[in-house]
Amino acid sequence: MASIVLGVAASHSTLMNTHWDKVVHTDRAEAFRDGLVAARDRIAAAAPDVVVLVGSNHFRGFWLDMIPSFTMGVGEVIAAGDGGTPKGPQKTDPEFAQALAQQLVDRGTEVAISARLQIDHGQAHAIQYLLDGIDVPVVPLVVNVFAAPLPTMPRVAELGANITRAVAEIGGDKRVVVIASGGLSHQLPWPSDWTAPDGDDEEFLVDAWLNGRGEWERYNDRRREIIVSAQPTIFPDFDEKWLADLEKGDMRQYAELNTVQIAEVAGNGGQELRTWMVMIAALGFAPGKALAYSEMPEWLTGMGVAMIEPSQTTTQNGTR
């Protein structure tokens, strides 16, 4: 019987690749990077056979012409290579991915599937740092966190619990690590309502989101300028409480937040906390450990790393 042997979550930011030389708070940046290395080493020690990689989409693989709430890569997985992250085909396990998708559907989580999925830094940042030097296939699970309406947090928590049950039903003895990539708090210079963009920059972004399929690079330079020029908005008090509650195993309270409430306490980028919630629920809301937290205005984001070991109850029953 396959089983989940570890859960890891980490923030991502391509500015870590492209703007390291602009960092003022180098001690904070190095603390976050050290946290990634510690998590990477723990993943290696867990000796996974496959990684379920839960991340977001930044309009390089999905577009406003079609955005499912949840999408699983069940065939080819191609990394866009944006912001210095890995580019090209990634190692995958289509047989496991297809079985996992079927099991999730059987349990009421109707994930979309993609036989040729393009991922961006929302997943590739984790491949670059958390799986550095680890030869393991990935099964990407993309959560829509930016194009409203977004999946509800209860629905996201249910997805996590169903992953645990589904993994337990899949044949073989695979060791599965669940990685969440995204968050913590941050505010992106993106339109709050893509149907009503305000100003030239927001109109440009919505145009890119609607018409970028197959040619995202055509929009990348101006888009990058908009992102880099944004003023940082980070909520460190929220981030620190989130991580403290994760260590206590007191995360069910966050599964009740709605989209508006998340934006108020963690910014529009904080909607990526859904990826953390998938991992946390998959690990049965067990107490975890925060490996690093750094408020990084240079990267526009609260940068955190945490992990959760599976509880015995979760391992045996597929839920806690």
Side-chain angles (χ1 to χ4, degrees), residues 189-276:
W190 287 10
S192 57
D193 181 354
W194 61 265
T195 67
D198 182 14
D200 291 344
D201 285 348
E202 290 195 2
E203 289 179 1
F204 166 80
L205 288 170
V206 171
D207 178 55
W209 297 355
L210 183 59
N211 299 304
R213 184 177 294 279
E215 52 180 0
W216 66 268
E217 289 165 304
R218 182 163 72 88
Y219 295 92
N220 205 47
D221 288 348
R222 182 173 173 187
R223 170 188 160 131
R224 195 73 174 166
E225 291 173 1
I226 294 171
I227 297 294
V228 171
S229 62
Q231 293 300 309
T233 302
I234 303 172
F235 303 84
D237 291 345
F238 171 84
D239 293 340
E240 290 168 359
K241 185 177 188 307
W242 170 277
L243 292 171
D245 287 338
L246 184 147
E247 291 198 320
K248 292 184 292 186
D250 188 19
M251 297 300 285
R252 293 182 187 275
Q253 58 182 307
Y254 298 100
E256 303 303 320
L257 294 177
N258 61 38
T259 298
V260 173
Q261 291 168 329
I262 292 173
E264 289 175 349
V265 299
N268 62 3
Q271 304 297 349
E272 288 184 320
L273 291 170
R274 285 169 171 78
T275 66
W276 286 57

Coordinates of all heavy atoms in Angstrom, one line a residue, residues 189-276:
P189 N 0.7 43.0 -7.8 CA 0.1 44.1 -8.5 C -0.8 43.6 -9.6 O -0.7 44.0 -10.7 CB 1.3 44.9 -9.0 CG 2.3 43.9 -9.3 CD 2.1 42.8 -8.2
W190 N -1.7 42.8 -9.2 CA -2.7 42.2 -10.1 C -4.1 42.7 -9.9 O -4.4 43.2 -8.8 CB -2.7 40.6 -9.9 CG -1.5 39.9 -10.5 CD1 -0.3 40.6 -10.9 CD2 -1.3 38.6 -10.6 NE1 0.6 39.6 -11.3 CE2 0.0 38.4 -11.1 CE3 -2.1 37.4 -10.4 CZ2 0.5 37.1 -11.4 CZ3 -1.5 36.2 -10.6 CH2 -0.2 36.0 -11.2
P191 N -4.9 42.7 -10.9 CA -6.3 43.2 -10.7 C -7.0 42.4 -9.7 O -7.0 41.2 -9.7 CB -6.9 43.1 -12.1 CG -6.1 42.1 -12.8 CD -4.7 42.3 -12.3
S192 N -7.8 43.1 -8.8 CA -8.6 42.4 -7.8 C -9.8 41.7 -8.5 O -10.3 40.7 -8.0 CB -9.0 43.3 -6.7 OG -9.8 44.4 -7.3
D193 N -10.2 42.3 -9.6 CA -11.3 41.7 -10.4 C -10.9 41.7 -11.9 O -10.8 42.8 -12.5 CB -12.6 42.6 -10.2 CG -13.8 42.1 -10.9 OD1 -13.6 41.1 -11.7 OD2 -14.8 42.6 -10.8
W194 N -10.6 40.5 -12.4 CA -10.1 40.5 -13.8 C -11.1 40.9 -14.8 O -10.8 41.2 -15.9 CB -9.6 39.1 -14.1 CG -10.6 38.0 -14.0 CD1 -10.8 37.2 -12.9 CD2 -11.5 37.6 -15.0 NE1 -11.8 36.3 -13.2 CE2 -12.3 36.5 -14.5 CE3 -11.7 38.0 -16.3 CZ2 -13.3 35.9 -15.2 CZ3 -12.7 37.3 -17.1 CH2 -13.5 36.3 -16.5
T195 N -12.4 41.0 -14.4 CA -13.4 41.4 -15.3 C -13.5 42.9 -15.4 O -14.2 43.5 -16.2 CB -14.8 40.9 -14.9 OG1 -15.2 41.5 -13.6 CG2 -14.8 39.4 -14.7
A196 N -12.8 43.6 -14.4 CA -12.9 45.1 -14.4 C -11.5 45.7 -14.1 O -11.3 46.2 -13.0 CB -13.9 45.6 -13.4
P197 N -10.6 45.5 -15.0 CA -9.2 46.0 -14.8 C -9.2 47.5 -14.6 O -9.9 48.2 -15.3 CB -8.4 45.5 -16.0 CG -9.5 45.3 -17.1 CD -10.7 44.9 -16.4
D198 N -8.3 48.0 -13.8 CA -8.2 49.4 -13.5 C -6.9 50.0 -13.9 O -5.9 49.7 -13.3 CB -8.4 49.6 -12.0 CG -8.4 51.1 -11.6 OD1 -8.5 52.0 -12.5 OD2 -8.3 51.4 -10.4
G199 N -6.9 50.7 -15.0 CA -5.6 51.3 -15.5 C -4.9 50.5 -16.5 O -5.3 49.3 -16.8
D200 N -3.9 51.1 -17.1 CA -3.2 50.4 -18.2 C -2.5 49.1 -17.8 O -2.5 48.1 -18.6 CB -2.1 51.4 -18.8 CG -2.8 52.6 -19.5 OD1 -4.0 52.5 -19.8 OD2 -2.1 53.6 -19.7
D201 N -1.9 49.1 -16.7 CA -1.2 47.9 -16.3 C -2.1 46.7 -16.1 O -1.9 45.6 -16.5 CB -0.4 48.1 -15.0 CG 0.9 49.0 -15.2 OD1 1.3 49.1 -16.4 OD2 1.5 49.4 -14.2
E202 N -3.2 47.0 -15.4 CA -4.2 45.9 -15.2 C -4.8 45.5 -16.5 O -5.1 44.3 -16.7 CB -5.3 46.3 -14.2 CG -4.7 46.5 -12.7 CD -5.8 46.6 -11.7 OE1 -7.0 46.5 -12.1 OE2 -5.4 46.7 -10.5
E203 N -5.1 46.4 -17.4 CA -5.6 46.0 -18.7 C -4.6 45.1 -19.4 O -5.0 44.2 -20.1 CB -6.0 47.3 -19.5 CG -7.2 48.0 -18.9 CD -7.5 49.3 -19.7 OE1 -6.8 49.5 -20.7 OE2 -8.5 50.0 -19.4
F204 N -3.4 45.5 -19.3 CA -2.3 44.7 -20.0 C -2.3 43.3 -19.4 O -2.2 42.3 -20.2 CB -1.0 45.3 -19.8 CG 0.2 44.4 -20.2 CD1 0.5 44.2 -21.5 CD2 0.9 43.8 -19.2 CE1 1.6 43.3 -21.8 CE2 1.9 42.9 -19.5 CZ 2.3 42.7 -20.8
L205 N -2.4 43.2 -18.1 CA -2.3 41.9 -17.5 C -3.5 41.0 -17.8 O -3.3 39.8 -18.2 CB -2.2 42.0 -15.9 CG -0.9 42.6 -15.4 CD1 -1.0 42.9 -13.9 CD2 0.3 41.6 -15.6
V206 N -4.7 41.6 -17.8 CA -5.8 40.8 -18.2 C -5.7 40.3 -19.7 O -6.1 39.2 -20.0 CB -7.1 41.6 -17.9 CG1 -8.3 40.8 -18.5 CG2 -7.3 41.8 -16.4
D207 N -5.2 41.2 -20.5 CA -5.0 40.9 -21.9 C -4.1 39.7 -22.0 O -4.3 38.7 -22.8 CB -4.5 42.1 -22.7 CG -4.2 41.7 -24.2 OD1 -5.1 41.2 -24.8 OD2 -3.1 41.9 -24.6
A208 N -3.0 39.7 -21.2 CA -2.0 38.6 -21.2 C -2.6 37.3 -20.7 O -2.4 36.3 -21.3 CB -0.8 39.0 -20.4
W209 N -3.4 37.5 -19.7 CA -4.1 36.3 -19.1 C -5.1 35.6 -20.1 O -5.3 34.4 -20.1 CB -4.8 36.6 -17.8 CG -3.9 37.1 -16.7 CD1 -2.5 37.2 -16.7 CD2 -4.3 37.6 -15.4 NE1 -2.1 37.7 -15.5 CE2 -3.1 38.0 -14.7 CE3 -5.6 37.8 -14.8 CZ2 -3.2 38.5 -13.4 CZ3 -5.6 38.3 -13.6 CH2 -4.4 38.7 -12.9
L210 N -5.7 36.5 -20.9 CA -6.7 35.9 -21.8 C -6.1 35.4 -23.1 O -6.6 34.4 -23.7 CB -7.7 37.0 -22.1 CG -8.9 36.6 -23.0 CD1 -9.7 35.5 -22.3 CD2 -9.8 37.9 -23.2
N211 N -5.0 36.0 -23.6 CA -4.5 35.7 -24.9 C -3.1 35.1 -24.9 O -2.5 35.1 -25.9 CB -4.5 37.0 -25.7 CG -5.9 37.6 -25.9 OD1 -6.8 36.9 -26.4 ND2 -6.1 38.8 -25.5
G212 N -2.6 34.8 -23.7 CA -1.2 34.3 -23.6 C -0.9 32.9 -24.0 O 0.2 32.5 -24.0
R213 N -2.0 32.1 -24.2 CA -1.7 30.7 -24.4 C -0.8 30.5 -25.6 O -1.0 30.9 -26.7 CB -3.1 29.9 -24.7 CG -2.9 28.4 -24.8 CD -4.2 27.7 -25.0 NE -5.1 27.8 -23.8 CZ -5.0 27.1 -22.8 NH1 -4.0 26.1 -22.7 NH2 -5.8 27.3 -21.7
G214 N 0.3 29.7 -25.3 CA 1.3 29.4 -26.3 C 2.3 30.5 -26.6 O 3.2 30.3 -27.4
E215 N 2.1 31.7 -26.0 CA 3.1 32.7 -26.3 C 3.2 33.6 -25.1 O 3.3 34.9 -25.2 CB 2.6 33.6 -27.5 CG 1.2 34.1 -27.5 CD 0.8 34.9 -28.7 OE1 1.7 35.0 -29.6 OE2 -0.3 35.4 -28.8
W216 N 3.3 33.0 -23.9 CA 3.4 33.8 -22.7 C 4.7 34.7 -22.7 O 4.7 35.8 -22.1 CB 3.4 32.9 -21.4 CG 4.6 32.0 -21.3 CD1 4.7 30.7 -21.8 CD2 5.9 32.3 -20.7 NE1 6.0 30.2 -21.5 CE2 6.7 31.2 -20.8 CE3 6.4 33.4 -20.0 CZ2 8.0 31.1 -20.3 CZ3 7.7 33.4 -19.6 CH2 8.5 32.2 -19.7
E217 N 5.7 34.3 -23.4 CA 7.0 35.1 -23.4 C 6.8 36.4 -24.0 O 7.5 37.4 -23.7 CB 8.1 34.3 -24.0 CG 8.5 33.1 -23.2 CD 9.4 32.1 -24.0 OE1 8.9 31.6 -25.0 OE2 10.5 31.8 -23.5
R218 N 5.8 36.5 -25.0 CA 5.5 37.8 -25.6 C 5.1 38.9 -24.6 O 5.3 40.1 -24.8 CB 4.4 37.6 -26.7 CG 4.1 38.9 -27.5 CD 3.4 38.5 -28.7 NE 2.0 38.1 -28.5 CZ 1.0 38.9 -28.5 NH1 1.2 40.2 -28.6 NH2 -0.2 38.5 -28.3
Y219 N 4.5 38.4 -23.5 CA 4.0 39.4 -22.5 C 5.0 39.6 -21.4 O 4.7 40.3 -20.4 CB 2.7 38.9 -22.0 CG 1.6 38.9 -23.0 CD1 1.3 37.7 -23.7 CD2 0.8 40.0 -23.2 CE1 0.3 37.7 -24.6 CE2 -0.3 39.9 -24.1 CZ -0.5 38.8 -24.9 OH -1.5 38.7 -25.8
N220 N 6.1 38.8 -21.4 CA 6.8 38.6 -20.1 C 7.6 39.9 -19.7 O 7.7 40.2 -18.5 CB 7.8 37.5 -20.2 CG 8.2 36.9 -18.9 OD1 7.3 36.6 -18.1 ND2 9.5 36.7 -18.7
D221 N 8.2 40.6 -20.6 CA 9.0 41.7 -20.2 C 8.2 42.8 -19.5 O 8.6 43.2 -18.4 CB 9.7 42.4 -21.4 CG 10.8 41.5 -22.0 OD1 11.2 40.5 -21.3 OD2 11.2 41.7 -23.1
R222 N 7.1 43.2 -20.0 CA 6.3 44.3 -19.3 C 5.7 43.7 -18.0 O 5.7 44.4 -17.0 CB 5.2 44.8 -20.2 CG 4.4 45.9 -19.5 CD 3.4 46.6 -20.4 NE 2.6 47.5 -19.6 CZ 1.5 48.2 -20.1 NH1 1.2 48.0 -21.4 NH2 0.8 49.0 -19.3
R223 N 5.3 42.5 -18.1 CA 4.7 41.9 -16.9 C 5.8 41.9 -15.8 O 5.5 42.2 -14.7 CB 4.3 40.5 -17.3 CG 3.9 39.6 -16.1 CD 3.7 38.2 -16.5 NE 3.8 37.3 -15.4 CZ 2.9 36.3 -15.1 NH1 1.9 36.2 -15.8 NH2 3.1 35.6 -14.0
R224 N 7.0 41.6 -16.2 CA 8.1 41.5 -15.2 C 8.3 42.9 -14.6 O 8.6 43.1 -13.4 CB 9.3 41.0 -15.9 CG 10.5 40.6 -14.9 CD 10.1 39.3 -14.3 NE 11.2 38.8 -13.4 CZ 11.1 37.8 -12.5 NH1 9.9 37.3 -12.3 NH2 12.1 37.4 -11.8
E225 N 8.3 43.9 -15.5 CA 8.5 45.3 -15.0 C 7.4 45.7 -14.0 O 7.7 46.3 -13.0 CB 8.4 46.3 -16.2 CG 9.6 46.1 -17.1 CD 9.4 47.0 -18.4 OE1 8.4 47.7 -18.5 OE2 10.3 46.9 -19.3
I226 N 6.2 45.3 -14.2 CA 5.1 45.6 -13.3 C 5.3 44.9 -12.0 O 5.1 45.5 -10.9 CB 3.7 45.1 -13.9 CG1 3.4 46.0 -15.2 CG2 2.6 45.3 -12.9 CD1 2.2 45.5 -16.0
I227 N 5.7 43.7 -12.0 CA 5.9 42.9 -10.8 C 7.1 43.5 -10.0 O 7.0 43.8 -8.8 CB 6.2 41.4 -11.1 CG1 5.0 40.8 -11.8 CG2 6.6 40.7 -9.8 CD1 3.8 40.6 -10.9
V228 N 8.2 43.7 -10.6 CA 9.4 44.2 -9.9 C 9.2 45.6 -9.3 O 9.8 45.9 -8.3 CB 10.6 44.2 -10.9 CG1 11.8 44.9 -10.3 CG2 10.9 42.7 -11.3
S229 N 8.4 46.4 -10.0 CA 8.2 47.8 -9.5 C 7.2 47.9 -8.3 O 6.9 49.0 -7.8 CB 7.8 48.7 -10.6 OG 6.5 48.3 -11.2
A230 N 6.5 46.8 -8.0 CA 5.5 46.8 -7.0 C 6.1 47.1 -5.6 O 7.2 46.7 -5.3 CB 4.8 45.4 -7.0
Q231 N 5.3 47.8 -4.8 CA 5.7 48.0 -3.4 C 5.3 46.8 -2.5 O 4.2 46.2 -2.7 CB 4.9 49.2 -2.8 CG 5.3 50.5 -3.5 CD 6.8 50.8 -3.3 OE1 7.3 50.8 -2.2 NE2 7.5 51.1 -4.4
P232 N 6.2 46.3 -1.7 CA 6.0 45.1 -0.9 C 4.9 45.3 0.1 O 4.8 46.4 0.8 CB 7.3 44.8 -0.3 CG 8.0 46.1 -0.2 CD 7.6 46.9 -1.5
T233 N 4.0 44.4 0.2 CA 2.9 44.4 1.3 C 2.9 43.0 1.9 O 2.5 42.0 1.3 CB 1.6 44.7 0.7 OG1 1.6 45.9 0.0 CG2 0.5 44.7 1.8
I234 N 3.5 42.9 3.1 CA 3.7 41.6 3.7 C 3.0 41.7 5.1 O 3.0 42.8 5.7 CB 5.1 41.2 3.9 CG1 5.8 41.2 2.5 CG2 5.3 39.9 4.6 CD1 7.3 41.0 2.5
F235 N 2.4 40.6 5.6 CA 1.8 40.6 6.9 C 2.5 39.6 7.8 O 2.1 38.5 8.0 CB 0.3 40.2 6.8 CG -0.5 41.1 5.8 CD1 -0.5 40.9 4.4 CD2 -1.2 42.1 6.3 CE1 -1.2 41.7 3.6 CE2 -2.0 42.9 5.5 CZ -1.9 42.7 4.1
P236 N 3.7 40.0 8.4 CA 4.5 39.1 9.1 C 3.8 38.5 10.4 O 4.0 37.4 10.8 CB 5.7 39.9 9.5 CG 5.3 41.3 9.4 CD 4.3 41.3 8.3
D237 N 2.9 39.3 11.0 CA 2.2 38.8 12.2 C 1.3 37.6 11.8 O 1.2 36.6 12.5 CB 1.3 39.9 12.8 CG 2.2 41.0 13.5 OD1 3.4 40.8 13.7 OD2 1.6 42.1 13.7
F238 N 0.6 37.7 10.6 CA -0.2 36.6 10.2 C 0.7 35.4 9.9 O 0.4 34.3 10.3 CB -1.0 37.0 8.9 CG -1.6 35.8 8.3 CD1 -2.9 35.4 8.8 CD2 -1.0 35.1 7.3 CE1 -3.5 34.2 8.2 CE2 -1.6 34.0 6.7 CZ -2.9 33.5 7.2
D239 N 1.8 35.6 9.1 CA 2.7 34.5 8.7 C 3.2 33.8 10.0 O 3.2 32.5 10.0 CB 3.9 35.1 7.9 CG 3.5 35.6 6.6 OD1 2.4 35.3 6.1 OD2 4.3 36.4 6.0
E240 N 3.6 34.6 11.0 CA 4.2 33.9 12.2 C 3.1 33.1 12.9 O 3.4 32.1 13.5 CB 4.9 35.0 13.0 CG 6.2 35.5 12.4 CD 6.7 36.8 13.0 OE1 6.1 37.2 14.0 OE2 7.7 37.3 12.6
K241 N 1.9 33.7 13.0 CA 0.8 32.9 13.7 C 0.5 31.7 12.9 O 0.3 30.6 13.5 CB -0.4 33.8 13.8 CG -1.5 33.1 14.6 CD -2.7 34.0 14.9 CE -3.7 33.4 15.8 NZ -4.1 32.1 15.5
W242 N 0.4 31.8 11.6 CA 0.2 30.6 10.7 C 1.2 29.5 11.0 O 0.8 28.3 11.2 CB 0.2 31.0 9.3 CG 0.2 29.9 8.2 CD1 1.2 29.2 7.8 CD2 -1.0 29.5 7.5 NE1 0.8 28.3 6.8 CE2 -0.5 28.4 6.7 CE3 -2.3 29.8 7.5 CZ2 -1.4 27.8 5.8 CZ3 -3.2 29.1 6.7 CH2 -2.7 28.1 5.8
L243 N 2.5 29.9 11.1 CA 3.5 28.8 11.3 C 3.4 28.3 12.7 O 3.6 27.1 13.0 CB 4.9 29.4 11.0 CG 5.1 29.7 9.5 CD1 6.4 30.5 9.4 CD2 5.2 28.5 8.7
A244 N 3.1 29.2 13.7 CA 3.0 28.8 15.1 C 1.8 27.8 15.2 O 1.9 26.7 15.9 CB 2.8 30.0 16.0
D245 N 0.7 28.1 14.6 CA -0.4 27.2 14.6 C -0.1 25.9 13.9 O -0.6 24.8 14.3 CB -1.7 27.9 14.0 CG -2.2 28.9 15.0 OD1 -2.0 28.9 16.2 OD2 -2.9 29.9 14.5
L246 N 0.6 26.0 12.8 CA 1.0 24.7 12.1 C 1.8 23.8 13.1 O 1.7 22.6 13.1 CB 1.8 25.1 10.9 CG 2.3 23.9 10.0 CD1 2.3 24.3 8.5 CD2 3.6 23.3 10.4
E247 N 2.7 24.4 13.9 CA 3.5 23.6 14.8 C 2.6 23.0 15.9 O 3.0 21.9 16.4 CB 4.6 24.5 15.4 CG 5.7 24.9 14.4 CD 7.0 25.4 15.1 OE1 6.8 26.1 16.2 OE2 8.0 25.0 14.6
K248 N 1.5 23.6 16.2 CA 0.6 23.1 17.2 C -0.4 22.1 16.7 O -1.2 21.5 17.4 CB -0.1 24.3 17.9 CG 0.8 25.1 18.8 CD 0.1 26.2 19.5 CE -0.5 27.3 18.6 NZ -1.1 28.4 19.3
G249 N -0.5 22.0 15.4 CA -1.5 21.2 14.7 C -2.9 21.9 14.8 O -3.9 21.2 14.8
D250 N -2.9 23.2 14.9 CA -4.2 23.9 15.1 C -4.5 24.7 13.8 O -4.7 25.9 13.8 CB -4.0 24.9 16.3 CG -5.3 25.6 16.6 OD1 -6.4 25.0 16.3 OD2 -5.3 26.6 17.3
M251 N -4.6 24.0 12.7 CA -4.8 24.6 11.4 C -6.2 24.5 10.9 O -6.6 25.1 9.8 CB -3.8 24.0 10.4 CG -2.4 24.3 10.7 SD -2.0 26.0 10.8 CE -1.9 26.5 9.1
R252 N -7.1 23.7 11.5 CA -8.5 23.5 11.0 C -9.2 24.9 10.9 O -10.1 25.1 10.1 CB -9.2 22.5 11.8 CG -8.7 21.1 11.7 CD -9.5 20.1 12.5 NE -8.9 18.8 12.5 CZ -9.0 17.9 11.6 NH1 -9.8 18.1 10.6 NH2 -8.4 16.7 11.7
Q253 N -8.9 25.8 11.8 CA -9.5 27.1 11.9 C -9.3 27.8 10.5 O -10.3 28.6 10.1 CB -8.9 28.0 13.0 CG -7.4 28.2 12.8 CD -6.8 29.0 14.0 OE1 -7.3 30.1 14.3 NE2 -5.8 28.4 14.6
Y254 N -8.2 27.6 9.9 CA -8.0 28.3 8.6 C -8.7 27.7 7.4 O -8.9 28.4 6.4 CB -6.5 28.3 8.3 CG -5.6 29.0 9.3 CD1 -4.9 28.3 10.3 CD2 -5.5 30.4 9.3 CE1 -4.1 28.9 11.2 CE2 -4.7 31.1 10.2 CZ -4.0 30.3 11.2 OH -3.3 31.0 12.1
A255 N -9.2 26.5 7.6 CA -10.0 25.9 6.5 C -11.3 26.5 6.4 O -12.1 26.1 5.5 CB -10.1 24.4 6.8
E256 N -11.7 27.4 7.3 CA -13.0 28.1 7.3 C -12.9 29.4 6.6 O -13.9 30.1 6.5 CB -13.6 28.2 8.7 CG -13.8 26.8 9.4 CD -14.6 25.8 8.6 OE1 -15.6 26.3 8.0 OE2 -14.3 24.6 8.5
L257 N -11.7 29.9 6.4 CA -11.6 31.3 5.8 C -12.1 31.3 4.4 O -12.0 30.3 3.6 CB -10.1 31.7 5.8 CG -9.4 31.9 7.1 CD1 -7.9 32.2 6.9 CD2 -10.1 33.0 7.9
N258 N -12.7 32.4 4.0 CA -13.1 32.6 2.6 C -12.1 33.5 1.9 O -11.2 34.0 2.5 CB -14.6 33.1 2.5 CG -14.7 34.5 3.2 OD1 -13.8 35.4 3.0 ND2 -15.8 34.8 3.8
T259 N -12.4 33.7 0.6 CA -11.4 34.4 -0.3 C -11.2 35.8 0.2 O -10.1 36.3 0.3 CB -11.9 34.4 -1.7 OG1 -11.9 33.0 -2.2 CG2 -10.9 35.1 -2.6
V260 N -12.3 36.5 0.6 CA -12.2 37.9 1.0 C -11.4 38.0 2.3 O -10.5 38.8 2.5 CB -13.6 38.5 1.2 CG1 -13.5 39.9 1.9 CG2 -14.3 38.6 -0.1
Q261 N -11.6 37.1 3.3 CA -10.9 37.1 4.5 C -9.4 36.8 4.3 O -8.6 37.4 5.0 CB -11.5 36.0 5.5 CG -12.9 36.4 5.9 CD -13.7 35.2 6.6 OE1 -13.4 34.1 6.3 NE2 -14.5 35.6 7.6
I262 N -9.1 35.9 3.4 CA -7.7 35.6 3.2 C -7.0 36.9 2.6 O -5.9 37.2 3.0 CB -7.5 34.4 2.2 CG1 -8.0 33.1 2.9 CG2 -6.1 34.3 1.7 CD1 -8.0 31.9 2.0
A263 N -7.7 37.5 1.7 CA -7.1 38.7 1.1 C -6.8 39.8 2.2 O -5.8 40.5 2.1 CB -8.0 39.3 0.0
E264 N -7.7 39.9 3.1 CA -7.6 40.9 4.2 C -6.4 40.6 5.1 O -5.7 41.6 5.5 CB -8.9 41.0 5.0 CG -10.1 41.6 4.2 CD -11.4 41.5 5.0 OE1 -11.4 40.8 6.1 OE2 -12.4 42.1 4.6
V265 N -6.2 39.4 5.4 CA -5.1 39.1 6.4 C -3.8 38.7 5.8 O -2.8 38.7 6.5 CB -5.6 37.9 7.4 CG1 -6.8 38.3 8.1 CG2 -5.8 36.6 6.6
A266 N -3.8 38.3 4.5 CA -2.6 37.8 3.9 C -2.3 38.4 2.5 O -1.4 38.0 1.8 CB -2.6 36.3 3.8
G267 N -3.2 39.3 2.0 CA -3.0 39.8 0.6 C -3.5 38.9 -0.4 O -3.9 37.7 -0.2
N268 N -3.6 39.4 -1.7 CA -4.1 38.6 -2.8 C -3.2 37.4 -3.1 O -3.6 36.3 -3.5 CB -4.4 39.4 -4.0 CG -3.1 40.1 -4.6 OD1 -2.0 39.9 -4.1 ND2 -3.3 40.9 -5.7
G269 N -1.9 37.6 -2.8 CA -0.9 36.5 -3.0 C -1.1 35.4 -1.9 O -0.7 34.3 -2.1
G270 N -1.7 35.8 -0.8 CA -2.0 34.9 0.3 C -3.0 33.8 -0.1 O -3.1 32.8 0.6
Q271 N -3.7 34.0 -1.3 CA -4.6 32.9 -1.7 C -3.8 31.6 -2.0 O -4.4 30.6 -2.1 CB -5.3 33.4 -3.0 CG -6.1 34.7 -2.9 CD -7.3 34.7 -1.9 OE1 -7.6 33.6 -1.4 NE2 -7.8 35.9 -1.5
E272 N -2.5 31.8 -2.2 CA -1.7 30.5 -2.4 C -1.6 29.7 -1.1 O -1.2 28.5 -1.2 CB -0.3 30.9 -2.8 CG -0.2 31.5 -4.2 CD 1.3 31.7 -4.6 OE1 2.0 32.2 -3.8 OE2 1.6 31.4 -5.8
L273 N -2.1 30.2 0.0 CA -2.2 29.4 1.2 C -3.0 28.1 1.0 O -2.9 27.1 1.7 CB -2.7 30.2 2.4 CG -1.8 31.3 2.9 CD1 -2.6 32.2 3.8 CD2 -0.6 30.7 3.5
R274 N -3.9 28.1 -0.1 CA -4.6 26.9 -0.4 C -3.7 25.8 -0.7 O -4.0 24.6 -0.4 CB -5.5 27.2 -1.7 CG -6.7 28.1 -1.4 CD -7.4 28.5 -2.7 NE -8.7 29.1 -2.4 CZ -8.8 30.4 -2.0 NH1 -7.8 31.1 -1.8 NH2 -10.1 30.9 -1.8
T275 N -2.5 26.0 -1.3 CA -1.6 24.9 -1.5 C -1.1 24.3 -0.2 O -1.0 23.1 -0.1 CB -0.4 25.3 -2.4 OG1 0.4 26.2 -1.7 CG2 -0.9 26.0 -3.7
W276 N -0.8 25.2 0.7 CA -0.4 24.7 2.1 C -1.5 23.9 2.7 O -1.3 22.8 3.3 CB 0.0 25.8 3.0 CG 1.3 26.5 2.7 CD1 1.7 27.1 1.5 CD2 2.3 26.7 3.6 NE1 2.9 27.7 1.7 CE2 3.4 27.4 2.9 CE3 2.6 26.4 5.0 CZ2 4.6 27.8 3.5 CZ3 3.8 26.8 5.6 CH2 4.7 27.4 4.9

